[in-house]
Amino acid sequence: MTTYVQGSGHSGWSKDVATVTLGRDGTVTGWSEGARRLLGHRAPEVVGRAAAELLLGREAPEASGLALLGSEEWSGTAALRHRDGHRVDVTLHAHPSLDRDGRPQGFVVTVGTSSAASERDRRMVEWAFDQASVGLSAHSTAAGSWHLNAAAAEEDAAGAEGGEGEEGFLRCVRRVAEEDRPMRYERVVPEPASAPVRHRAWVIELWPVRDPATGEVVGVGTAAFDSSEQHAARERLALLQEAGACVGTTLNVTRTAQELADLAVPRLADFVSVDLLDSVLRGEEPVPGPVDAAVALRRVAHQSAAEGTGVPEAAIDLGGIDTYPPFSPPARALAGGRPVLTGAGDPDFARWLAGNEARTARNEEYGFHSVMATPLRARGITLGVAVFARIGDSPLFEPDDLILAEELAGRTAVGVDNARRYTRERTNALTLQRSLLPRDLPRQAAVEVAYRYLPAGSGAGVGGDWFDVVPLSGTRVGLVVGDVVGHGIHASATMGRLRTAVRTLADVDLPPDELLTHLDDLVAHLSSDREDVAADEPYFVSGEIGATCLYAVYDPVSRVCTFASAGHIPPAVLFPDGTVELVRLTPGPLLGVGGLPFETTELELPEGSLLAFCTDGLIEARDRDLGLGLDRLCDALARPVPSLDVTCDAILKALLPDSPADDVALLLVRTRALHADQVAAWSLPSDPSVVADARAQVSRQLAVWGLEEAAFVTELVVSELVTNAIRYGAVPIGLRLIRDRTLICEVSDASNTAPHLRRARTYDEGGRGLHMVAQLTQGWGTRQSPLGKTIWAEQPLPVG
């Protein structure tokens, strides 16, 4: 045992232990060193003698309280005689020693000093334990019982240590006893709805309690400290840290506002709403400074802690518009540019709730009693207002909550403003891009087309993808698809310049490889211009421009398609027999590299073949390479569908996610053919007398086609063009008529010299032929070929 002693100006438990063993007859059978120090007798002087002889005045055990015989366990006090004769007051604790049959065969008696002072000090320790302002408790490992002071009992009722129901705390207690080392346990419990705080928190220190005599762990002591304020501060810091990662994850205004509402409920408020100016949603720049109280706001996000789906507390639906009265908390926050904390005790707050029928009904049902209104401001511009509310029995907001709400609103405002500015740039880029992309592709006989263009759905910005269908002479058609590297308005502007250049070069009937060569030179010049700008304007990182382009020319008469590629992915072709393959191109360098040639590839296409041109946004993704994307394109192209439009949609659905990471351009082209009954061709000698014969053959062919009304103009055109070919050209000379949506007359020869339209003077003998052709037809032109040139003229078919 431990004895309670006095000395050295302090009190405490001594480490001396006095232990005596007695036989059933009261004879001393064992004497400890602690007993010798306490009473002065050595063991040989006491062992074998009656224990009663140690009593002062040799009082009988019954009189002294030392009645051991026949009892199971006994505690009491006694006055013993020291070896030198002075009185020693002690406390006695006797425990029976049992034999194998369970019968008492002796007793173990622990002896400790007892005095009025020591007893008072012992009681003082008990009083200090009971009256401590912190929760103290002791757990007996042997009995499994708890001893709690008044503060611990109160805290246990509040859930500090959790009692038997908190398994985590009990496991910690067992670990302290088993591992014989102190530990710390933290516990957070929700407070009742009527409490002034939302959570109570405690830090509980636990330590093993040892028997000083044996060192055995006999219990576990605990001390619980209320850490609710520290816990609330940590929660606020954690919420702010999480806001940095969870708010503003996308460049989307409404999504950023919703992220604030989702984060704040229920950790800060029971209901949160975010209203923004309409100009913010359009990407426009709001007026700097605070906003007038009468401004109309649009609800873009809200969230509720109510169970179930929806936000039943909201008086305004998402997308709805509300104008807050000047005295309302949101209007005051907007006008002053500072957060406002208000509640049920504020007359203006009550007037605001009562001024709207829907808001009054929600308040009667849910009981809004504490509100924080915080303006969303970034770069000195007010974007909107966030309202945080607590309802029902939730505790009131505190000033620290207002600081937290202001910080959350500030971070959200930065995200909203970034999204607004991105929306403005994206809108401008989309507007520019849509103005540059073809709206309605021209109708012509060579091909049937369908197309889709999808801007990027992520924060990458609008790209520079484009496509086009260019009608060419002789019912041919130019097919183009390209992609400018990068995103944003500069990529869109570059795309527009390249598309215009392609149309201009296609109008002069350049072959695909020559067209790409000229386009390559143009991109090199554009890059040089950008480098000059980059030297003066630091926001340009580099002046280089990269672009890919695929240009193809399809001739419905020969049914041959000629391709040339500048680093672009090859098209896929679905043949009428159902087979699908990629066109094997010889890819050239990216546009702007310069100095490298472009090569053409010719492919004869049966009538009804389906070509699929696309940009890399359709087939490339993070989870697949280019080859896999092309394979999936071929698979999607091979599936039977009723029309080209349906095929476009099916391909996009099969290859794209819901939100593409890059722009996507898809152009589907089904080839047609002009049959023999639509084309007539003659080979002519270089003899002026053949002109009359050419007119006659043309007249007969027009009669066969039922186009006699066009004979007069056509004969004049043929006469002028054939005469020029014989006079200025070289053999062989060819004449061809094509009947399509228009009537086309073509004369070819082996000379590369192109004719020029000029105004003939009064006495000139020539120079009027092409001028007359231009007046009689709706269009004329010339195109070069490896074998010479072709001059063509196009006129409308007769009505009916």
Side-chain angles (χ1 to χ4, degrees), residues 290-418:
V291 178
D292 183 73
V295 68
L297 299 174
R298 188 176 299 275
R299 177 66 51 83
V300 296
H302 53 209
Q303 187 56 276
S304 165
E307 296 181 357
T309 59
V311 185
E313 303 96 332
I316 304 295
D317 295 330
L318 287 178
I321 295 180
D322 192 13
T323 301
Y324 295 105
F327 54 82
S328 65
R332 287 156 54 192
L334 289 171
R338 300 290 299 170
V340 173
L341 174 59
T342 185
D346 183 355
D348 287 339
F349 176 75
R351 187 155 59 112
W352 171 53
L353 293 181
N356 179 282
E357 183 177 347
R359 194 169 283 116
T360 300
R362 299 297 186 275
N363 182 52
E364 291 177 353
E365 182 174 0
Y366 297 102
F368 289 81
H369 61 81
S370 188
V371 166
M372 297 184 296
T374 308
L376 300 178
R377 304 189 75 239
R379 300 187 304 112
I381 298 172
T382 301
L383 308 170
V385 63
V387 176
F388 305 82
R390 285 184 178 172
I391 62 178
D393 295 328
S394 294
L396 299 176
F397 284 120
E398 300 176 354
D400 287 342
D401 295 323
L402 187 65
I403 297 174
L404 175 61
E406 185 178 13
E407 183 67 24
L408 289 176
R411 297 192 180 193
T412 303
V414 172
V416 168
D417 189 54
N418 289 337

Side-chain angles (χ1 to χ4, degrees), residues 232-244 263 267 404:
R234 289 197 303 268
E235 284 291 297
R236 294 187 184 100
L237 289 176
L239 193 61
L240 285 177
Q241 183 177 10
E242 190 173 343
L263 178 68
R267 296 166 64 178
L404 175 61

